[in-house]
Amino acid sequence: MPKIQLENLVKRYGDFEVLHGINLEMEENEFTVFVGPSGCGKSTTLRMIAGLESVSGGEIYIDGKPVSNLEPKARDLAMVFQDYALYPHMNVAQNMSFALRLQKAPKSEIDSKVKDVAKMLGLTEFLHRKPGELSGGQRQRVAMGRALTRDSGTFLFDEPLSNLDAKLRGQMRAELALMRQQVQKNMIYVTHDQIEAMTLADRIVVMHGGYIQQQGTPEELYKRPVNKFVAGFLGSPPMNFLDAELTDEGGKLFVVGSGFKIALPEERAHTLPANAKGPVTMGIRPADLTFAPKAADDQSFDLQVVVSEYIGAQSVLICDCAGQKVEVELKSDTPIALGEKLRFEANTDAIHLFDRETEAAL
Amino acid sequence: MSAVARANRLTPYMFLAPAAVVLVFALLYPIGYMVYASFLDWSPSQRIGQADFIGLRNYANLLTDAAFLESFWVTIKFAAVVVTLEMVIGVGLALLLDRNIRGMSLLRTIFILPMMIAPIVVGLMWRYMYHPTVGIFNRTIKNLGFETGIPWLSDSTWSFIAVVIADVWQWTPFIFILALAAMQSLPRSALEAAEIDGATEWQKVIMIKIPLMMPVLIVTLLLRLIDAFKVLEVIMVLTNGGPGLSTEIVALRIFRTAQEFQELGEAAAMSNLLLLMLMALTIGMFMYTKIQEARTARMLKAAQQEDE
């Protein structure tokens, strides 16, 4: 419910700075996902919001109130941990009611809350079991239940699904999305899994090396990444990057690299900065390439198919384009022969260009 | 089965054999000897074969021997008091020192020093400190302006307190070290979860830390209890059981029965009773561990069955 702001948030361990001035505003009832590779500072940021890590610089505001010197319990938040962090010596009901019992809430209220949450999460028959007697998925649910029973304004999730196997993870992800619709709370969710980020988030915050790279809706980030890192991090299979040269031939822009020469749509000439010409990195997503033997020369790549990875309805082709690797995602029933050189048409509207040096989007 | 396979199967037993031989000679033989001796009326001047067999009379005598019963009571009182104090102080210290302080490892080493000193030396050391006139305690008390010092080793109540203090000084570090190790292996995230749930430091100790440390604490307690029942040297040096019988624990009573009263049979019977008691404690400890293991196994099985 509350609005959370991070202002120039810095974290240092000794002389080593791991977070370099994070600025972020999370709106009320928003599902924010921090995503990034290991060591990018996403968990540290979450733990600082929770009050489990001290703040080295900057400030955290909850509803406009600075909280960085407050104890965790004074911040009105609930947290789900990566390893669930259940209390092994308490049964499910005791685990879920721990916070309420500490608050000395009336017993009848505790009982009814625990019962409601257990029903919602399908835990009713396990209320008297200890965590050690539960499966991974059930433990996960108890961890969620413990957070839900508390009724706090903000929920923090620290990689809550990463200890589950793939099938269970998909199932819990769907349940989380469902819960998200039922429970109107602030949720801040940390994950390194971009699929979780894309499917759950209202707002994704991509972090790397202690900086926020980009934030926005999943669609914004997918369609308009601000740099090569964000472009490569979101989307699966990841975006292809090719070394190329941006050239201007009589007002028409071409991306030229070894083995290809692609004409850019006309309106790109107006949006690209004037100094963009020269060496660039071209990015194109595997799904933006289609098998088209008769496509025009300046709209297509000629690729040597090296490996075909069958994943069901779709297949991913790993191809060679004059020494550079290109992946293509297409329907599995497309007639493709390995080892042959085939023509793939590029969706030229979906071509991304990045500065070779700064890696920023052009 | 081929000869090679049979030899392979026997290999572990061959490695165990030397230890087994030592065990038989050094442990089982003396114990058997003692059990046999406890049925004899045997004085040191006789060879064991010359002693009269008197059946259970030694045991029967023990049950009516007021001095033995007194020392039995003293032992139980002593064990209960020292183990309680050591557990409370040891766990308390561990709770206080479970944090990253500079020089913590040095502090820990200093802490466990008392444990490493030979009991006789500990006894001598404390006897000097308890000395009525030149001991540091009474000198300090006099320097503070009090007229009379404390009769540390000459009063029956104070002498009991004195031996308790010495034992607590020596053995609290043992509990401290084990409790600290247990505490440092507690799951960090459960404690963080408790913090988020709103537990104060004290609530975290009572509701999370201590319950989670319980398995280690129970084993520690049993180990200390077994040891406390066998204590001998420190008390022998400090008070030699006196004044009267106020600090005469069973081990000391056994020693005196054999040495001073020359009643080898009766001493053997006492030893046997003590042994039985300690065995009961040890078996209790093993049972506890077994039950714990069985429970963990059952939990794991239950969880795995559902994890499909």
Side-chain angles (χ1 to χ4, degrees):
Chain A
M1 285 173 281
K3 188 169 164 172
I4 299 178
Q5 284 166 279
L6 311 182
E7 191 182 277
N8 272 323
L9 200 61
V10 172
K11 179 68 190 177
R12 266 178 242 110
Y13 292 106
D15 291 334
F16 188 63
E17 193 169 292
V18 293
L19 277 185
H20 319 283
I22 298 290
N23 285 296
L24 188 62
E25 280 189 26
M26 287 162 270
E27 296 301 328
E28 290 175 29
N29 297 336
E30 200 172 42
F31 199 122
T32 308
V33 175
F34 291 168
V35 66
S38 309
C40 70
K42 56 189 191 299
S43 275
T44 310
T45 310
L46 188 81
R47 291 172 58 84
M48 283 163 85
I49 297 171
L52 297 171
E53 295 277 352
S54 62
V55 172
S56 316
E59 187 56 78
I60 301 166
Y61 297 94
I62 296 183
D63 272 343
K65 198 175 78 173
V67 297
S68 60
N69 288 320
L70 293 184
E71 294 277 301
K73 63 174 169 177
R75 302 187 185 194
D76 184 36
L77 26 85
M79 184 158 169
V80 178
F81 290 81
Q82 179 172 13
D83 62 355
Y84 318 137
L86 300 176
Y87 311 122
H89 56 297
M90 300 182 195
N91 66 27
V92 171
Q94 289 166 329
N95 259 286
M96 283 170 43
S97 61
F98 188 65
L100 291 178
R101 283 187 287 140
L102 289 179
Q103 290 165 17
K104 303 245 176 345
K107 199 174 175 312
S108 56
E109 186 196 323
I110 296 179
D111 286 348
S112 74
K113 258 201 184 134
V114 167
K115 218 178 264 172
D116 289 349
V117 173
K119 199 174 152 202
M120 176 173 150
L121 293 170
L123 287 170
T124 309
E125 51 186 312
F126 305 116
L127 281 177
H128 295 287
R129 288 218 203 159
K130 295 227 171 121
E133 297 168 317
L134 299 174
S135 70
Q138 291 162 348
R139 282 181 219 187
Q140 223 295 317
R141 266 171 238 259
V142 177
M144 300 265 193
R146 189 170 60 183
L148 283 170
T149 314
R150 288 195 49 194
D151 218 12
S152 22
T154 305
F155 277 39
L156 308 178
F157 298 88
D158 189 5
E159 308 215 16
L161 305 184
S162 62
N163 278 6
L164 300 175
D165 61 47
K167 190 179 154 202
L168 216 47
R169 198 180 313 154
Q171 193 185 326
M172 288 304 294
R173 199 169 59 218
E175 283 183 31
L176 255 173
L178 192 68
M179 187 186 95
R180 160 93 198 96
Q181 291 168 10
Q182 294 170 353
V183 184
Q184 285 298 308
K185 306 263 187 204
N186 270 9
M187 310 222 177
I188 306 178
Y189 189 106
V190 162
T191 180
H192 60 263
D193 180 359
Q194 52 99 13
I195 297 181
E196 274 171 38
M198 298 290 273
T199 50
L200 292 171
D202 295 328
R203 176 203 299 272
I204 295 186
V205 178
V206 179
M207 295 185 70
H208 183 47
Y211 292 98
I212 290 182
Q213 301 290 321
Q214 189 177 3
Q215 50 159 315
T217 65
E219 200 184 350
E220 273 167 22
L221 265 62
Y222 186 77
K223 291 202 167 150
R224 290 186 295 281
V226 296
N227 60 28
K228 191 180 160 196
F229 177 81
V230 175
F233 193 77
L234 297 179
S236 169
M239 187 185 279
N240 296 299
F241 295 111
L242 295 161
D243 286 341
E245 196 98 19
L246 185 65
T247 59
D248 185 344
E249 293 177 16
K252 207 165 159 56
L253 290 177
F254 288 90
V255 188
V256 187
S258 49
F260 63 89
K261 180 177 179 182
I262 310 275
L264 288 179
E266 237 171 81
E267 62 270 22
R268 288 300 283 272
H270 309 301
T271 53
L272 278 171
N275 60 357
K277 284 159 206 90
V280 293
T281 301
M282 187 192 92
I284 184 154
R285 297 201 183 273
D288 288 325
L289 292 166
T290 41
F291 178 56
K294 298 197 176 82
D297 278 352
D298 65 356
Q299 297 292 310
S300 59
F301 294 86
D302 290 319
L303 303 173
Q304 178 110 23
V305 182
V306 183
V307 178
S308 167
E309 287 179 334
Y310 178 79
I311 41 175
Q314 301 282 313
S315 287
V316 176
L317 306 180
I318 299 172
C319 310
D320 180 76
C321 175
Q324 303 193 76
K325 193 181 94 169
V326 175
E327 289 186 350
V328 180
E329 189 181 13
L330 38 63
K331 285 219 173 80
S332 290
D333 50 17
T334 318
I336 296 294
L338 286 188
E340 275 185 41
K341 198 161 210 174
L342 301 170
R343 176 157 286 199
F344 293 90
E345 185 174 28
N347 172 7
T348 50
D349 287 327
I351 285 178
H352 300 264
L353 296 173
F354 304 97
D355 188 296
R356 189 87 64 85
E357 303 248 303
T358 64
E359 300 196 339
L362 295 172
Chain B
M1 194 185 291
S2 75
V4 177
R6 201 173 309 132
N8 271 343
R9 216 160 45 91
L10 291 176
T11 312
Y13 298 100
M14 278 160 57
F15 282 116
L16 285 176
V21 170
V22 171
L23 216 63
V24 166
F25 278 99
L27 189 71
L28 292 184
Y29 175 69
I31 287 180
Y33 207 88
M34 180 190 76
V35 172
Y36 177 56
S38 71
F39 300 119
L40 302 177
D41 179 14
W42 182 24
S43 83
S45 57
Q46 296 169 303
R47 287 213 243 145
I48 194 163
Q50 298 168 319
D52 293 331
F53 187 86
I54 54 167
L56 288 172
R57 208 187 306 152
N58 280 331
Y59 292 95
N61 286 346
L62 283 186
L63 297 181
T64 53
D65 179 354
F68 174 75
L69 292 178
E70 173 68 23
S71 72
F72 197 77
W73 169 236
V74 169
T75 307
I76 290 190
K77 202 165 66 173
F78 175 80
V81 171
V82 296
V83 173
T84 309
L85 281 176
E86 286 162 14
M87 288 300 288
V88 171
I89 300 173
V91 174
L93 278 176
L95 285 167
L96 285 177
L97 292 178
D98 176 28
R99 56 202 69 194
N100 288 327
I101 308 173
R102 196 183 290 260
M104 188 60 212
S105 57
L106 181 75
L107 204 64
R108 235 175 285 164
T109 316
I110 294 172
F111 254 88
I112 59 170
L113 273 179
M115 239 167 72
M116 299 194 252
I117 302 173
I120 295 281
V121 179
V122 171
L124 287 171
M125 206 175 79
W126 282 91
R127 199 164 80 181
Y128 287 125
M129 293 202 286
Y130 286 136
H131 191 279
T133 51
V134 299
I136 183 152
F137 293 129
N138 277 1
R139 265 201 344 241
T140 311
I141 287 169
K142 276 179 191 152
N143 285 344
L144 287 174
F146 293 94
E147 288 279 308
T148 49
I150 291 171
W152 287 109
L153 301 175
S154 50
D155 173 88
S156 59
T157 309
W158 279 111
S159 63
F160 185 78
I161 294 173
V163 294
V164 165
I165 292 176
D167 194 87
V168 168
W169 176 83
Q170 194 180 13
W171 290 108
T172 299
F174 174 74
I175 288 165
F176 165 71
I177 287 292
L178 290 185
L180 191 65
M183 212 170 290
Q184 288 178 341
S185 61
L186 292 183
R188 286 279 140 207
S189 59
L191 291 168
E192 289 180 345
E195 220 168 288
I196 300 246
D197 274 346
T200 60
E201 282 302 312
W202 184 240
Q203 284 169 326
K204 275 200 286 185
V205 168
I206 298 293
M207 300 169 92
I208 311 285
K209 286 189 184 177
I210 302 268
L212 288 184
M213 285 163 65
M214 232 1 136
V216 176
L217 292 185
I218 287 178
V219 172
T220 312
L221 178 99
L222 282 167
L223 281 175
R224 262 316 289 147
L225 213 51
I226 289 169
D227 243 23
F229 274 108
K230 297 191 303 185
V231 67
L232 171 69
E233 298 96 327
V234 174
I235 295 182
M236 193 159 87
V237 173
L238 268 181
T239 64
N240 201 20
L245 296 179
S246 59
T247 59
E248 192 180 87
I249 33 72
V250 169
L252 197 55
R253 181 84 202 161
I254 294 169
F255 177 77
R256 291 177 67 191
T257 309
Q259 285 292 307
E260 285 172 33
F261 314 142
Q262 312 245 313
E263 295 277 4
L264 294 186
E266 210 170 309
M270 289 178 189
S271 303
N272 232 344
L273 274 182
L274 186 63
L275 179 70
L276 285 176
M277 235 169 65
L278 293 182
M279 257 168 59
L281 270 179
T282 314
I283 288 170
M285 190 169 98
F286 275 124
M287 296 266 281
Y288 175 78
T289 336
K290 275 268 180 273
I291 291 170
Q292 285 284 323
E293 277 169 10
R295 222 179 81 164
T296 320
R298 201 191 63 214
M299 282 177 166
L300 211 66
K301 215 174 134 197
Q304 276 163 352
Q305 273 170 357
E306 277 149 23
D307 218 353
E308 271 150 22

